[in-house]
Amino acid sequence: MLKSMKFLAVLLLAGLVGVVMPPVVNAEVIVVPPGNRNDKRPKLAFLSVLWTAANKGSYEAKYRQIYSMLQRDKNLVGKIKKVAGIYGIDPIHMIGAIVGEHTYNVDGLDSLQGYYVKAAQYSDLQFSFEYKGETADEFFNRPQFQQCNNFKSNYEVWDCRSVIWRTKFEGKFVDGKKFSGERLQRVFFKPGIMGQTFGLGQMSPVTALMVNDTVHAKSGLPLLDINKANEVYQAIMDPDKTIHYMAAQIRTSIDLYRNVAGFDITQNPGIVATLYNLGESATRARALRAGNDQLKAKGQPPVYPEENFYGWLVNEKLSDLQKLL
C-alpha cells in the first residue's frame, strides 16, 4: 500500500471528492527518482493470490509467459512504441502495465492472435451495462453523483463516480435498494460470467470510458457510448485499440500527479504501473497533494508516492523489460 494512501480515507471523508485544486506551479514539481522505495515486495492483493492459487500457477511462471510473448512479437512491441509516441509517454510504461497485469492478474495467452480471437467472439454477444434493471446511465444521473459534474475532464468525472460508488453505495441500502458490496466494475460493467478486466491491457470498461475523450482526440477512434456495451468491450478486447486506451490512461495519471500532486513520476515506471493497477489517479493525486500541503504547513518534508506489489515488480525487472524495447 502506498504511504501516500494513508491520507486517502480521511481526506475523502473531509469532502475532498468534487474539489478542484489549483495546478501546481512547475517550479514546485518534485521528480520521483527511479527504483523501489521498499526493500521487499509489498503485500500482495488477496484476489491476486486467490487467482494464482486457483490456477495452480506461480508469479514467476506467469511473468515468463507474458515476457516471452512480448519478446517473440516484435510487431506488437512496434505498435506499442508507435502508440506511446502519439500520447507522449515512454513505451516502458505500457510494457510495465502489460507485464504487471499478466503476472498478478490473469494468465496471459501464448500469442497475440489469441486476443484477436477473443475480441471477435464479443461481436455476437448481447449485453448492457446495468444492475437490477437500472442502467449505468440512469444510475449516474442520481443526485449523489451531481458533484462529479464539477470536473472538466472525463477522467475526473469517472474517478469521482468510482469514489462515490465506493463510499455511498457499495454494500449499502440506498432509496430502499440493496447494492452489491463489490467494486463498481464488477457490478454495472461485468457481463454475465466474464471477468472485470479484459484483453492485453487487462482493462475494465470503466477505464476505457474514463479516457474515451483523450483516445478520440489523439487517435481518431470513435467515441464510446455507455449505452453501447458491445462497442466498449470490443474496443478493450482488440489489441490494436486497447493499447490506445492503455496509453491514454498512463498519460492521464502522469499529468494528474504532476499538475495536481506536484510529482513528476515519469522516471519511475513502478509508480506509473502502480497507478495503472490501482486506478482513481485523480482522487489519489488530490489526496497526496492535500496531505503534503498539511505537512508543508507544519514545516515537515513531503511524502513521496510509493510502489505497490505490482509496481515493485516493474521496477525490480526494469532492466529485463527495457530489453524488450
Side-chain angles (χ1 to χ4, degrees):
M1 177 66 67
L2 300 175
K3 287 184 179 178
S4 59
M5 294 306 103
K6 292 179 181 178
F7 295 113
L8 186 56
V10 174
L11 292 168
L12 290 179
L13 292 175
L16 187 62
V17 174
V19 175
V20 180
M21 286 188 163
V24 175
V25 178
N26 286 339
E28 298 178 353
V29 173
I30 301 171
V31 177
V32 179
N36 285 320
R37 294 174 64 82
N38 293 284
D39 293 333
K40 296 181 179 179
R41 183 181 65 186
K43 185 178 179 180
L44 295 167
F46 174 72
L47 287 177
S48 174
V49 175
L50 188 66
W51 177 275
T52 302
N55 288 277
K56 299 180 180 179
S58 72
Y59 295 120
E60 183 60 27
K62 291 167 72 175
Y63 170 79
R64 285 299 163 195
Q65 182 182 27
I66 188 62
Y67 188 92
S68 294
M69 191 198 86
L70 291 168
Q71 194 174 39
R72 291 192 306 268
D73 202 325
K74 302 299 183 184
N75 185 47
L76 171 60
V77 173
K79 289 179 180 179
I80 288 172
K81 292 166 73 172
K82 181 178 179 179
V83 169
I86 293 173
Y87 294 84
I89 61 173
D90 190 323
I92 193 63
H93 299 312
M94 296 179 69
I95 294 292
I98 292 170
V99 169
E101 287 295 334
H102 289 82
T103 299
Y104 290 118
N105 192 347
V106 299
D107 295 336
L109 300 180
D110 290 330
S111 70
L112 188 63
Q113 186 60 34
Y115 288 101
Y116 287 111
V117 171
K118 277 184 170 288
Q121 292 172 347
Y122 274 64
S123 61
D124 295 326
L125 298 178
Q126 296 298 319
F127 40 72
S128 61
F129 299 136
E130 62 178 43
Y131 177 68
K132 293 185 176 180
E134 183 178 19
T135 68
D137 197 19
E138 293 168 338
F139 179 66
F140 292 128
N141 277 311
R142 285 173 174 252
Q144 291 91 335
F145 294 98
Q146 291 309 302
Q147 63 177 297
C148 298
N149 297 327
N150 295 333
F151 295 107
K152 294 181 180 180
S153 76
N154 197 46
Y155 184 95
E156 291 191 86
V157 168
W158 276 94
D159 184 285
C160 176
R161 288 173 174 176
S162 179
V163 175
I164 294 296
W165 162 263
R166 179 157 45 78
T167 56
K168 297 186 177 181
F169 287 91
E170 189 176 299
K172 296 179 173 63
F173 276 98
V174 182
D175 298 330
K177 183 176 181 178
K178 176 64 185 294
F179 285 87
S180 169
E182 295 188 290
R183 295 177 66 187
L184 180 65
Q185 291 94 321
R186 289 177 174 269
V187 179
F188 278 92
F189 298 92
K190 184 181 87 169
I193 59 173
M194 311 286 182
Q196 65 166 329
T197 56
F198 306 84
L200 182 67
Q202 281 302 290
M203 183 165 287
S204 76
V206 171
T207 303
L209 289 164
M210 290 176 88
V211 296
N212 182 30
D213 52 347
T214 300
V215 170
H216 175 68
K218 292 284 188 181
S219 71
L221 288 172
L223 286 169
L224 299 176
D225 188 333
I226 194 173
N227 294 309
K228 297 180 180 179
N230 281 58
E231 293 179 5
V232 177
Y233 280 114
Q234 288 173 29
I236 60 179
M237 289 296 293
D238 184 333
D240 292 338
K241 295 178 181 178
T242 195
I243 55 177
H244 282 274
Y245 294 95
M246 289 182 65
Q249 166 79 353
I250 291 166
R251 175 76 265 171
T252 301
S253 293
I254 289 172
D255 290 345
L256 284 166
Y257 262 63
R258 182 181 183 87
N259 299 330
V260 177
F263 286 96
D264 178 353
I265 60 175
T266 57
Q267 305 300 310
N268 194 307
I271 299 297
V272 176
T274 294
L275 293 172
Y276 186 89
N277 175 241
L278 294 176
E280 295 180 2
S281 293
T283 298
R284 296 178 191 280
R286 291 194 299 273
L288 183 57
R289 163 79 179 278
N292 279 334
D293 282 350
Q294 293 176 11
L295 291 175
K296 183 178 180 180
K298 297 176 181 178
Q300 298 176 8
V303 169
Y304 279 54
E306 292 187 25
E307 71 283 346
N308 69 350
F309 66 95
Y310 180 120
W312 191 91
L313 172 81
V314 172
N315 279 340
E316 181 74 3
K317 301 285 191 181
L318 189 57
S319 60
D320 265 357
L321 300 180
Q322 287 173 330
K323 293 175 184 177
L324 295 171
L325 298 169

